[in-house]
Amino acid sequence: MRSKPITRAGLCAALLSSAAFAMPAQAQTGDAASTSALDDAAGDILVSAQQANRTVVEQGGQVGVLGDQPGENVPFSVRSYTEALILNQQPDTLGEVLENDPTIRTTMGFGIAGEVFVIRGFPLFSDDVGFDGLYGIAPRQLVAPELLSSVQVINGASAFLNGAAPGGSGIGGSVNILPKMADRDLTRVTAGYVSDAHFSGAADVARRFGANDEWGVRINGSARRGDIAVNDEFHSSYVLGAGIDHDSGPLRASLSLNWQRLRQSHWRPLVTISTAIPDAPDADTNFGQPWAEIETEDFFGTASIEYDVADNATFYARVGARDGREDQYTSSFTLLDAATGAGSAGGSYVPREDDNEAATAGMRVKLAAGGISHQLNVGASASWQEIRTAYDFYAGGFATNLYDPVDIARPPSAFAGGDLDDPFPITRTRVSSVFASDTLGLWNDRILLTGGLRLQEIRARSYAYFGGDLASDYRENAVTPVAGLVVKPADGISLYANRIEGLVRGDVAPNGVTDPTTGGNLVVSNAGEVLAPYRSVQYEFGGKAYFGPVNASLAFFQIDRPNSAYRADTDNAGQVVFGPFGEQRNRGIEFTLDAEPVRGLRLIGGVAVNDPELRRTPGGLYQGNEPAGIPEWMGNANVEWDLPFLPALTLTGRAVYTGKQAADPTNTLQLDDWARFDLGVRYVALVADNPLTLRFGVDNVSDEDYWASAFSTFGTQLLLGGPRTFKASASVEF
């Protein structure tokens, strides 16, 4: 959000009087001249601190291969959530940052503690979140927000902009997270508390130096541990990040190195249901098992370089790598009786190691002649991922209850695969591509027409858990185009339209399938066939408005995605064929807003409307139904108010609304809509001439009990919303 400067007139007196208890004695007792000088200096410090704390959304960001772009110049919906927002809200995970976005809802992956982000009705797995523009570098499962300077969201398919996501998701949108760099001199220490007994401490130091401040170094670390508001659930997080950058004329380079170790114990799983939706238990109820635990450790980073080979031509390159290890003990809950809450528990142990690398390089050239401009972009990218894993599935069927959970001993092993002590490679994936685009500018760049192509190859090899022999070798390629138009009829108005595709790896036809009618086994006539990559097609048009402190965008979209399914094989009686039969079509409208309608009052929010439908289904099964877990309506409203009579004090509030959503493909089960309200306050004072920011907030003020999501990649599963949570923190900058 573009902000207006805050003048000191009338502000310093209120700030100083409200912070007088924290100011040194001479500020209150000196002569008039010295007091006036001190008042001016103190006022400058406090105003600067208050401005730096403002929770805003930036319109624009890193738009894949097109580079950093302002929102008004690209035919896509792009926004960025800033470091100040992360610091103010004390999120535990990336998903809690994205709770601010009215077009995104967060759920949990099947059998894991990792987050899944639902954008325009399609999943974005945590594996497919970008880090500094590269896939496979961000830690999977969970990301510690303390390492991040920005969380950038692009709504819609992005196979051209970012390349195909190796994990096979991201059809509805992408998320890219950026590391912290030294954009200014900073020394900040922060202490925090989250109920019930979760304490944290962090230090963040940045310096710029050199004759022209061409060098920058930033070191950032934090530690958090303790029980959260869910009964007996324990979280810990230890992170350390270092960023070095250099900017001297034509050469710009940066290096980001990061380490994080996260642990969650007694974590709460999804609830698997079948014929009925139970009443939601108390929001702090923990129906997981005490031995359920995930511990991850990741070393990851990127290095990038840009060099202006001419005034109008820039070469760029970026490489990244991640070495990750996770040990995960999962517990499951399957509901047996919706009325009583009776259920059964089981679990598993899954160790995993990841070795990932990624790289991209290219050239951007700007040309202009005869009143026409060109922004040419050519390059190549590749990512390599090796997953080493094993599994040990425990016996299930142990009695427990949704409303009165029963702790059970960790069950014995039922069956296992792979080497649990030293997992060997199970999957190796390589996604490579070459791309080219041109943005043609007319009428002094008031009309921008973008066209591009990306040729992509997906190579995936899987290996048997028993013996490690090659089980399948997938190798397919596809061309994904993009076409976009931006028209700026007047200053502050940008109209746009795009046609862009998504791309995910096609499935491999299985050897057999269970007949849903008889329970017997059906033969798949094309067993082992490697299907071509699945393409989704998005059409979108909309508009953006930028009028001083008011930024708004409106988007209309439609995304068509093939679905895998079985149908009768007309050439082989009694057999079925597996392929891309059927389609999911999502249509919707998105409105987002960030504004400061009057000085000191800031608004962030929006509304999203979804109309998903299953189409062309084999045999008409579920034809016309809604896919599970896609709310009809979603809305967010964040408010910040700097009190005019006490500007050092800021009141904050957030409302999150999620409409009704189908819970199964038959649409006989449906989740009710829900709303959650968060409140908070922020105060800035001086301690020995240093700004101190105090924050206090309450999430889910009314302690609402609700099922947050029915979106699942496996069966019909429900996610329970979080309980009332108190948060407090204090930051001082030196």
Side-chain angles (χ1 to χ4, degrees), residues 523-526 566-578 581 618-619:
V523 176
V524 180
S525 59
N526 63 332
Y566 301 92
R567 71 182 182 191
D569 189 342
T570 56
D571 296 328
N572 297 280
Q575 299 185 19
V576 295
V577 62
F578 180 80
F581 310 132

Side-chain angles (χ1 to χ4, degrees), residues 16 23-24 26-28 33-43 689:
L16 294 171
M23 293 186 62
Q26 63 266 30
Q28 304 175 47
S34 62
T35 299
S36 175
L38 181 60
D39 285 358
D40 285 344
D689 293 335

Side-chain angles (χ1 to χ4, degrees), residues 271-623:
V271 174
T272 301
I273 65 172
S274 55
T275 60
I277 295 176
D279 292 336
D282 291 343
D284 62 355
T285 302
N286 192 341
F287 39 80
Q289 294 299 323
W291 40 264
E293 178 178 290
I294 177 172
E295 184 169 336
T296 67
E297 185 171 25
D298 292 275
F299 297 88
F300 59 103
T302 57
S304 65
I305 185 171
E306 291 186 353
Y307 185 74
D308 298 330
V309 296
D311 291 340
N312 63 337
T314 299
F315 168 81
Y316 64 90
R318 181 177 293 114
V319 297
R322 175 171 73 90
D323 179 55
R325 165 78 189 188
E326 64 186 62
D327 283 288
Q328 182 167 216
Y329 294 88
T330 71
S331 68
S332 62
F333 185 98
T334 301
L335 186 70
L336 302 178
D337 189 322
T340 65
S344 65
S348 63
Y349 168 61
V350 180
R352 173 169 167 153
E353 298 176 1
D354 290 75
D355 288 318
N356 299 345
E357 296 86 31
T360 187
M363 179 80 74
R364 299 189 185 103
V365 179
K366 296 181 180 181
L367 302 173
I372 299 175
S373 67
H374 291 270
Q375 296 182 46
L376 302 171
N377 180 31
V378 295
S381 66
S383 66
W384 301 265
Q385 299 189 5
E386 180 180 272
I387 300 171
R388 300 188 297 277
T389 187
Y391 64 83
D392 186 3
F393 292 135
Y394 301 149
F398 295 88
T400 183
N401 191 282
L402 183 64
Y403 307 113
D404 187 15
V406 177
D407 291 345
I408 65 172
R410 193 164 70 193
S413 174
F415 60 98
D419 188 338
L420 294 170
D421 297 322
D422 186 16
F424 49 76
I426 294 298
T427 304
R428 289 189 173 104
T429 303
R430 184 193 70 209
V431 180
S432 56
S433 66
V434 293
F435 53 84
S437 69
D438 181 19
T439 297
L440 180 69
L442 305 170
W443 193 24
N444 291 324
D445 287 346
R446 286 188 175 271
I447 298 177
L448 298 169
L449 179 62
T450 298
L453 295 172
R454 187 190 282 255
L455 172 62
Q456 308 194 62
E457 181 182 81
I458 303 174
R459 175 81 183 274
R461 288 169 288 175
S462 63
Y463 302 86
Y465 281 96
F466 301 95
D469 295 333
L470 182 67
S472 67
D473 191 346
Y474 181 99
R475 187 170 187 169
E476 293 285 345
N477 59 69
V479 175
T480 52
V482 62
L485 174 67
V486 174
V487 178
K488 303 177 184 178
D491 291 343
I493 297 292
S494 179
L495 307 178
Y496 74 94
N498 69 63
R499 182 200 183 276
I500 191 169
E501 296 185 359
L503 186 71
V504 298
R505 184 180 75 185
D507 295 314
V508 178
N511 293 321
V513 62
T514 301
D515 188 331
T517 303
T518 67
N521 189 59
L522 292 174
V523 176
V524 180
S525 59
N526 63 332
E529 179 184 355
V530 177
L531 302 181
Y534 293 169
R535 301 191 203 197
S536 64
V537 179
Q538 172 185 282
Y539 297 93
E540 178 182 1
F541 68 92
K544 306 169 187 177
Y546 305 92
F547 295 114
V550 178
N551 304 313
S553 69
L554 180 66
F556 300 82
F557 68 88
Q558 175 177 303
I559 302 176
D560 297 306
R561 182 200 188 280
N563 284 339
S564 298
Y566 301 92
R567 71 182 182 191
D569 189 342
T570 56
D571 296 328
N572 297 280
Q575 299 185 19
V576 295
V577 62
F578 180 80
F581 310 132
E583 179 182 81
Q584 180 177 333
R585 185 190 68 190
N586 292 2
R587 287 176 172 169
I589 305 171
E590 296 168 342
F591 172 74
T592 61
L593 171 73
D594 63 274
E596 191 172 7
V598 297
R599 183 170 297 169
L601 178 64
R602 294 177 292 280
L603 308 174
I604 300 172
V607 176
V609 183
N610 294 292
D611 180 22
E613 183 181 352
L614 297 174
R615 309 173 70 229
R616 303 191 182 99
T617 61
L621 184 65
Y622 310 138
Q623 177 73 19

Side-chain angles (χ1 to χ4, degrees), residues 44-116:
D44 287 341
I45 294 171
L46 287 167
V47 169
S48 177
Q50 189 81 344
Q51 288 276 43
N53 275 318
R54 295 155 58 89
T55 298
V56 298
V57 177
E58 295 178 348
Q59 300 299 317
Q62 194 180 87
V63 190
V65 298
L66 301 181
D68 291 327
Q69 296 282 351
E72 62 262 35
N73 286 352
V74 292
F76 310 103
S77 178
V78 184
R79 58 200 164 277
S80 301
Y81 297 94
T82 64
E83 183 181 334
L85 180 147
I86 295 171
L87 182 64
N88 287 333
Q89 294 184 357
Q90 289 181 259
D92 188 38
T93 64
L94 177 61
E96 292 187 13
V97 178
L98 294 174
E99 284 182 351
N100 294 282
D101 196 297
T103 71
I104 299 176
R105 290 297 180 260
T106 301
T107 183
M108 186 184 294
F110 170 64
I112 63 172
E115 295 176 317
V116 175

